[in-house]
Amino acid sequence: MKTDLAHDFEHVLRVVKTAKELCRRENAQPEVVIPAAWLHDCFSFAKDHPDRRNGSKYAADKAVEFLRSIAYPEQYFEAVHHAVAAHSFSANIKPLTIEAQIVQDADRLDALGAVGISRCIQVSAALHRPLYRAEDPFCSSREPDDAHYTIDHFYKKLLLIAASVNTESAKVEAAERTLFMQDFLKQLNQEISPVDD
């Protein structure tokens, strides 16, 4: 099984940092947001694992199991479980609480900006995917195929994330990070475009 480099401990630290900030701005319950952010990826399948869509459900179960083992107040278990289960794109679970929305937003924001670009390239390299398709590298006249090309993932998923975040605070941050990614694509286009004779 391939290691999922996009979900290392540094990812967890960034999600916790962002979740804390969103929690403060949105006046949510830190007793739910903070443990859910720390434990959101306590179980994770690799990007190309066939059961990936269920990874966050396993993580939610393990999160509550861990919180119970350290005598965390049981009144927060259900909310933490939901926040962890709902954070994942693959699970397709609607976040029903502001706390779950924040954890989902914090995780999604980590797929944007400079870190998002780096993570995308890192994972694609581990999966042996080329950076772009030489013919139409920016999906101008074809459907994005991110199973085979790294840059296609921008068009298939990453550039669409800003429209999917929940909280007002996350929407502002997502818009800024998306602009950075669009600038990266413009620069890449300049660097790889053929020179006119």
Side-chain angles (χ1 to χ4, degrees):
M1 184 172 76
K2 298 181 182 77
T3 302
D4 185 352
L5 298 174
H7 294 90
D8 59 8
F9 189 60
E10 298 304 317
H11 164 70
V12 174
L13 292 176
R14 291 189 303 269
V15 169
V16 169
K17 174 189 171 190
T18 302
K20 285 180 177 179
E21 182 61 24
L22 294 176
C23 185
R24 183 186 65 77
R25 292 181 187 175
E26 300 291 333
N27 297 310
Q29 280 190 296
E31 297 88 350
V32 174
V33 170
I34 294 172
W38 275 111
L39 297 168
H40 79 281
D41 276 342
C42 64
F43 180 92
S44 182
F45 286 118
K47 282 282 188 193
D48 57 349
H49 193 282
D51 200 29
R52 179 163 182 78
R53 70 182 182 281
N54 292 315
S56 67
K57 294 173 191 171
Y58 287 102
D61 291 343
K62 287 186 173 293
V64 170
E65 184 181 323
F66 171 74
L67 292 175
R68 185 173 282 116
S69 77
I70 62 169
Y72 198 76
E74 287 193 28
Q75 70 205 63
Y76 301 117
F77 286 3
E78 185 178 347
V80 170
H81 189 280
H82 174 62
V84 173
H87 89 272
S88 171
F89 268 107
S90 306
N92 198 26
I93 298 171
K94 183 176 176 60
L96 301 176
T97 65
I98 186 65
E99 290 78 19
Q101 290 175 359
I102 285 169
V103 175
Q104 186 184 85
D105 285 353
D107 186 61
R108 291 186 179 191
L109 285 171
D110 204 53
L112 298 178
V115 167
I117 293 168
S118 302
R119 289 175 72 204
C120 178
I121 293 171
Q122 185 179 37
V123 170
S124 292
L127 296 172
H128 307 291
R129 294 174 183 160
L131 185 58
Y132 57 87
R133 180 177 170 179
E135 307 81 17
D136 194 7
F138 302 102
C139 305
S140 300
S141 59
R142 63 180 178 87
E143 288 297 311
D145 178 12
D146 62 352
H148 292 96
Y149 304 102
T150 304
I151 294 303
D152 287 35
H153 192 57
F154 285 69
Y155 298 98
K156 182 90 171 181
K157 179 178 176 181
L158 301 182
L159 296 176
L160 308 177
I161 290 175
S164 75
V165 295
N166 305 284
T167 62
E168 290 306 312
S169 303
K171 287 176 183 177
V172 172
E173 183 66 25
E176 290 178 8
R177 295 188 188 197
T178 299
L179 281 174
F180 182 87
M181 298 175 87
Q182 290 168 334
D183 287 342
F184 165 79
L185 292 172
K186 289 175 187 172
Q187 179 65 30
L188 180 63
N189 185 34
Q190 288 181 16
E191 293 180 15
I192 68 174
S193 293
V195 177
D196 292 331
D197 291 330

